[in-house]
Amino acid sequence: MPSPAWQKSSYCAQGNSCVHVAAPAPGTVVLTESGDPSEAILRTTPRVWAALVRTLKEGHCQD
């Protein structure tokens, strides 16, 4: 399987801590954070990813 085509978040500031997302296969979304030395990858579905993005855009999350 080829490496995923990672896309960097448009909210990423200068530096090493950026969220990256890719869809390496149908029905799969993967996320990673460039500043994570363990290179951990979170896997989810497009439906769950869309719900997270929608929630963040609507401002339902607080710091």
Side-chain angles (χ1 to χ4, degrees):
M1 177 184 226
S3 296
W6 294 103
Q7 294 181 343
K8 184 169 62 170
S9 168
S10 60
Y11 289 96
C12 182
Q14 298 294 339
N16 291 333
S17 296
C18 298
V19 173
H20 298 261
V21 64
T28 304
V29 175
V30 292
L31 302 150
T32 191
E33 195 267 313
S34 58
D36 180 6
S38 73
E39 298 179 3
I41 294 177
L42 172 69
R43 296 181 191 282
T44 190
T45 64
R47 182 180 61 82
V48 172
W49 172 245
L52 174 64
V53 170
R54 184 174 50 254
T55 299
L56 294 172
K57 285 183 176 181
E58 292 172 355
H60 295 294
C61 296
Q62 297 179 6
D63 292 89

